[in-house]
Amino acid sequence: MKKAILIPDSFKGTLSSAQICDILQERIHCHFPQCETVCIPVADGGEGTAESFLASVGGQKVYCTVKGPFFEDMPGYYALLSDGTAVVETAVCAGLPLVGEQRDPLRATTYGVGQLIEKAIQDGCKKIIVGLGGSATNDCGAGAAAALGTVFYDAEGKSFIPTGGTLSQIAKIQKADLPQDVQILAMCDIDNPLFGPTGAAHVFAPQKGADARGVKLLDEGLQHAAEMILKNLGTDVSVLPGGGAAGGLGAGLFAFCGAELRSGIETVLETVGFDAMLRDADIVFSGEGKLDSQSLGGKAVIGIAAHCKAQGVPLIAIVGGAERELPQVFDAGVTAVFPIGRLPEDFSVSRTKSEINLYETADNILRLLRNSQRM
């Protein structure tokens, strides 16, 4: 084995993708000392996305002061990659962990996200990737749009910055003109629409602090915002797949910024030049916390597998757990799946052993690979 690519997603709540890469790399070098390893820690658009891109392709953080979830000043940053691409992570300035126990999607804003996008544009970035995961917001991206120059008016003709609780007050929208040569890609791994029973408010707002009354108000606000966007901008976001991501930020970036909503893993693979890396690779190791029917929708392992299958490179999936009877994963290009669980234990127990379980699973796989080369 001369070259191995390590491209795992995190095991949510136990191991980060970078930690997984470290463990796999150490075991590979133990059994195959001369093997070249390429580490590409994957993030899904939420917390850690910017760090993952920097670890994969290099670059630096660009810092500036932005508005936090409740319009407070706070330090923010975007990742400037070595090729000039900017990565803006919504969670940096509008993330749920930032609000602590003060969760309130009726008041929270994505204004800081817009400020980071504006900073990247001012710095000359022509391609901007926005990770949509982990937000505390439900403002349809109106805050981000306002930071970028879009103006929202109420019924009295006064301008204001809408939040989730005031979206219903929008009477008119004057869209800002962004530079035509700037491409904005939004990493989106859900297909929830903006509003309705499976929309942003009903599905995600309760975990952001909304009670039943709040969910109703937020959903009505998102529907009203969609109506105003259609009336004023001529853009229909009412049934946009992924429009409900990050409290409607997906729909907002699409409508106000002309953003393209793309699969998170496909965005990662394109940005790091994965297909070129595959050409001389002997094997790929990937993984995620749980491989199940939802994974088949194009999440990390399955998305990576399609590229491996196209070039005939075997992919080993090391996962926290795996759903039974999923032959589709092998049709998709996965060579073999190895859950790391060692004993029949409740997750509350096994999660504390994730590091050693991964270590031992990887070690056994590599022992097998090493000895198979001698047969």
Side-chain angles (χ1 to χ4, degrees), residues 206-256:
Q207 68 194 43
K208 301 178 183 184
D211 58 16
R213 177 176 175 276
V215 168
K216 182 174 184 296
L217 290 173
L218 290 168
D219 189 64
E220 291 172 351
L222 291 170
Q223 184 170 354
H224 178 77
E227 292 169 356
M228 291 297 99
I229 288 171
L230 180 60
K231 178 180 178 180
N232 289 269
L233 310 183
T235 302
D236 186 2
V237 296
S238 61
V239 293
L240 177 69
L249 181 57
L253 290 176
F254 178 83
F256 303 124

Side-chain angles (χ1 to χ4, degrees), residues 47-245:
E47 189 174 2
T49 294
E51 295 277 5
S52 291
F53 273 106
L54 288 173
S56 298
V57 299
Q60 62 183 338
K61 291 181 179 179
V62 178
Y63 291 89
C64 61
T65 300
V66 297
K67 296 297 183 183
F70 300 129
F71 292 97
E72 73 280 15
D73 285 338
M74 65 167 289
Y77 67 88
Y78 72 86
L80 178 61
L81 306 185
S82 55
D83 67 352
T85 298
V87 179
V88 172
E89 184 181 311
T90 296
V92 163
C93 56
L96 201 54
L98 296 175
V99 302
E101 298 301 316
Q102 306 302 312
R103 300 182 180 190
D104 187 355
L106 293 166
R107 295 192 301 116
T109 182
T110 55
Y111 195 89
V113 179
Q115 289 179 300
L116 291 175
I117 294 173
E118 176 66 16
K119 171 64 174 170
I121 293 173
Q122 290 176 351
D123 291 343
C125 298
K126 301 302 182 184
K127 180 179 179 181
I128 301 172
I129 298 170
V130 183
L132 299 184
S135 82
T137 58
N138 205 101
D139 70 349
C140 195
L148 287 162
T150 291
V151 183
F152 298 87
Y153 298 93
D154 63 17
E156 297 179 355
K158 297 179 179 178
S159 64
F160 73 111
I161 301 173
T163 62
T166 59
L167 287 173
S168 295
Q169 297 176 23
I170 299 173
K172 180 182 177 182
I173 304 172
Q174 183 178 330
K175 181 182 174 183
D177 292 324
L178 299 181
Q180 295 295 311
D181 59 348
V182 174
Q183 177 189 24
I184 299 178
L185 301 177
M187 293 176 67
C188 180
D189 278 336
I190 64 169
D191 58 6
N192 299 72
L194 183 60
F195 58 86
T198 59
H202 282 284
V203 175
F204 303 110
Q207 68 194 43
K208 301 178 183 184
D211 58 16
R213 177 176 175 276
V215 168
K216 182 174 184 296
L217 290 173
L218 290 168
D219 189 64
E220 291 172 351
L222 291 170
Q223 184 170 354
H224 178 77
E227 292 169 356
M228 291 297 99
I229 288 171
L230 180 60
K231 178 180 178 180
N232 289 269
L233 310 183
T235 302
D236 186 2
V237 296
S238 61
V239 293
L240 177 69

Side-chain angles (χ1 to χ4, degrees), residues 342-363:
R342 310 288 288 181
L343 293 170
E345 297 174 318
D346 186 85
F347 180 64
S348 62
V349 177
S350 65
R351 64 174 303 190
T352 65
K353 305 175 183 178
S354 294
E355 186 171 347
I356 185 61
N357 284 348
L358 173 62
Y359 178 97
E360 293 180 347
T361 302
D363 187 73

Side-chain angles (χ1 to χ4, degrees), residues 278 281-282 306-315:
L278 269 179
D282 297 302
H307 290 254
C308 292
K309 182 178 182 180
Q311 294 200 39
V313 180
L315 181 148

